[in-house]
């Protein structure tokens, strides 16, 4: 079987890495991507063969609408003649449309009910896979056919963290003894995301107030954001300009502060003290994790509050329920890929 993955954003590499390696044992896998955030760096880090197709058109809706059919046609041209049997993606709005044009099956996964790109993806996908808590009525508002929908257990982060968590726990113990200060990892807001309408740079005062008390590692979402945090007033903050895998971040992290996104949820599922400062409307997946007590949501977080939270926090074991559900979800997704 020839299986095509379109990995259109950096979180998708961690999500599908284990499954790609699993499937490559018996099947041919084709990977496409686009140059967004750390996507290409992470593919290189994992040693995957891939093809860059198209570009990212930025945060403006008009540019995204222009760029959408352009990348669809670029992908069709690249895939013609490769005898693809099935396409699978997470949040790649292009993938199901391309698959429909090529006349092949497609699985479209998403856990963001605010993404406008779900509409063409839902219409064109053969199968739609979403977390168990995402209701049919919300999906129908974006033109999803309920007959296509398959709910998987837990959250998408569980589909790959179940495989990593044992290794991460042993690394955490080894890392703890070498620290002189607590280490706080920070993931700022998604500047270029269509669904995000909150403030920009609202974390600056928080970072400046914390940097003399803890070691801060900032994980920018792209080069422009990285340049902002490399200004002289942020001296002392380590700004990561290359890809860092979750296996390198989690064992070193005493507190994670994120303005939403997959990485915030990853740390919460792994039991790392986590604060979300996301300033827009929360996704259902975030509400689900909040109800489970996996992280704290403080959109107006101050440096003093963050330091107080850190002093009182203790690392918990990974969320066993979500990881067990993640393994079940992994097996379900793989079975749907290999369906004849």
């Amino acid at each position: 079987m020839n299986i095509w993955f379109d990995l259109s954003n950096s979180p998708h590499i961690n999500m599908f890495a284990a499954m790609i390696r699993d499937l490559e044992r018996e099947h041919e896998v084709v990977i496409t991507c686009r140059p967004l955030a750390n996507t290409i760096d992470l593919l290189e880090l994992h040693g995957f063969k891939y093809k860059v197709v198209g570009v990212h058109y930025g945060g403006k809706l008009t540019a995204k609408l222009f760029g959408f059919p352009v990348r669809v046609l670029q992908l069709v041209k690249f895939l013609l003649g490769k005898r693809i049997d099935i396409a699978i993606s997470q949040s790649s709005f292009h993938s199901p449309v391309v698959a429909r044009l090529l006349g092949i099956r497609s699985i479209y996964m998403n856990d963001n009910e605010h993404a406008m790109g779900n509409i063409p993806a839902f219409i064109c996908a053969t199968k739609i896979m979403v977390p168990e808590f995402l209701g049919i009525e919300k999906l129908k508002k974006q033109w999803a056919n309920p007959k296509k929908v398959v709910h998987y257990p837990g959250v998408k982060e569980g589909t790959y963290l179940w495989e990593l968590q044992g290794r991460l726990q042993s690394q955490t113990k080894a890392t703890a003894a070498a620290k002189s200060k607590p280490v706080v990892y920070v993931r700022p807001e998604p500047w270029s995301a269509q669904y995000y309408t909150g403030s920009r740079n609202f974390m600056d005062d928080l970072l400046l107030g914390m940097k003399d008390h803890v070691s801060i590692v900032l994980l920018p979402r792209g080069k422009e954001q990285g340049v902002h945090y490399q200004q002289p007033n942020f001296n002392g903050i380590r700004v990561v300009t290359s890809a860092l895998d979750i296996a390198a971040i989690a064992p070193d992290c005493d507190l994670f502060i994120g303005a939403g996104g997959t990485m915030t949820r990853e740390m919460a599922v792994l039991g790392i003290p986590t604060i979300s400062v996301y300033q827009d409307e929360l996704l259902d997946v975030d509400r689900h994790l909040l109800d489970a007590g996996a992280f704290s949501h403080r959109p107006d977080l101050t440096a003093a509050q963050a330091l107080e939270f850190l002093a009182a926090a203790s690392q918990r074991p990974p969320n066993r329920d979500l990881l067990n559900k993640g393994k079940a979800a992994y097996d379900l997704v793989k079975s749907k890929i290999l369906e004849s």
Side-chain angles (χ1 to χ4, degrees):
M1 181 178 283
N2 294 331
I3 304 165
W4 167 44
F5 287 83
D6 188 38
L7 307 180
S8 59
N9 202 352
S10 48
H12 309 160
I13 288 83
N14 280 330
M15 178 175 177
F16 288 119
M19 186 166 292
I20 288 171
R21 292 191 181 96
D22 194 358
L23 291 168
E24 281 180 331
R25 296 187 182 100
E26 297 182 14
H27 305 277
E28 292 296 320
V29 173
V30 175
I31 299 173
T32 56
C33 68
R34 59 180 179 170
L36 173 62
N38 303 118
T39 303
I40 293 174
D41 290 340
L42 280 169
L43 285 165
E44 291 285 345
L45 196 63
H46 281 272
F48 289 133
K49 293 181 180 179
Y50 61 90
K51 174 67 175 179
V52 178
V53 179
V55 299
H56 185 255
Y57 286 86
K60 291 185 178 179
L61 180 59
T62 51
K64 289 179 183 291
L65 291 173
F66 167 80
F68 183 83
V70 173
R71 187 166 187 262
V72 165
L73 293 176
Q74 290 171 327
L75 285 166
V76 168
K77 182 179 178 181
F78 171 70
L79 292 168
L80 277 173
K82 296 195 182 299
R83 302 171 68 94
I84 301 297
D85 295 297
I86 185 167
I88 179 165
S89 65
Q90 162 75 28
S91 306
S92 168
F93 313 135
H94 309 88
S95 177
V97 179
V98 171
R100 173 67 69 88
L101 291 172
L102 292 174
I104 60 176
R105 290 191 301 128
S106 63
I107 297 173
Y108 176 70
M109 302 178 67
N110 204 305
D111 61 348
N112 183 343
E113 68 273 18
H114 298 158
M116 290 175 60
N118 283 341
I119 295 173
F122 285 166
I123 291 170
C124 292
T126 309
K127 204 170 294 295
I128 300 164
M129 299 192 74
V130 295
E132 59 186 348
F133 49 81
L134 232 174
I136 288 291
E137 290 307 312
K138 283 193 174 181
L139 301 176
K140 286 168 65 176
K141 288 179 180 178
Q142 294 188 314
W143 298 9
N145 182 342
K147 294 180 180 178
K148 296 181 181 180
V149 176
V150 176
H151 284 95
Y152 61 81
V155 297
K156 83 169 187 293
E157 290 75 17
T159 64
Y160 54 97
L161 292 179
W162 67 268
E163 188 265 341
L164 282 174
Q165 60 93 20
R167 178 158 50 95
L168 295 176
Q169 281 181 298
S170 61
Q171 290 177 346
T172 301
K173 293 175 184 176
T175 305
K179 295 178 182 177
S180 58
K181 285 183 179 180
V183 180
V184 178
Y185 279 77
V186 178
R187 183 74 158 167
E189 66 281 1
W191 286 4
S192 63
Q194 164 267 316
Y195 59 83
Y196 181 71
T197 58
S199 304
R200 283 173 56 144
N201 303 333
F202 66 90
M203 300 178 74
D204 289 7
D205 289 341
L206 169 66
L207 294 168
L208 293 172
M210 292 183 69
K211 71 185 185 76
D212 293 332
H213 303 279
V214 296
S215 297
I216 296 178
V217 183
L218 190 127
L219 306 167
R221 299 179 189 247
K223 292 181 180 178
E224 183 186 358
Q225 199 171 65
V227 168
H228 172 75
Y229 287 109
Q230 288 173 314
Q231 296 179 82
N233 54 318
F234 295 107
N235 282 346
I237 294 175
R238 177 189 168 200
V239 179
V240 177
T241 55
S242 58
L244 270 187
D245 189 54
I246 187 173
I249 298 169
D252 186 45
C253 184
D254 296 298
L255 172 64
F256 191 89
I257 301 174
T262 297
M263 198 173 288
T264 303
R265 294 189 286 272
E266 288 173 341
M267 297 300 150
V269 171
L270 288 171
I272 293 166
T274 301
I275 303 174
S276 169
V277 293
Y278 191 63
Q279 295 203 332
D280 217 336
E281 183 182 354
L282 288 177
L283 302 179
D284 282 1
V285 61
D286 294 316
R287 297 185 189 282
H288 180 75
L289 290 173
L290 275 173
D291 290 343
F295 68 88
S296 176
H297 182 225
R298 301 187 184 185
D300 299 317
L301 184 70
T302 66
Q305 290 170 339
L307 293 171
E308 182 181 355
F309 184 93
L310 175 61
S314 60
Q315 203 159 66
R316 298 166 294 177
N319 189 307
R320 180 56 50 193
D321 179 55
L322 289 173
L323 293 178
N324 288 339
K325 286 184 174 184
K327 176 61 167 69
Y330 177 94
D331 291 338
L332 178 62
V333 173
K334 184 181 175 183
S335 73
K336 295 300 179 184
I337 293 173
L338 298 178
E339 276 182 354
S340 57

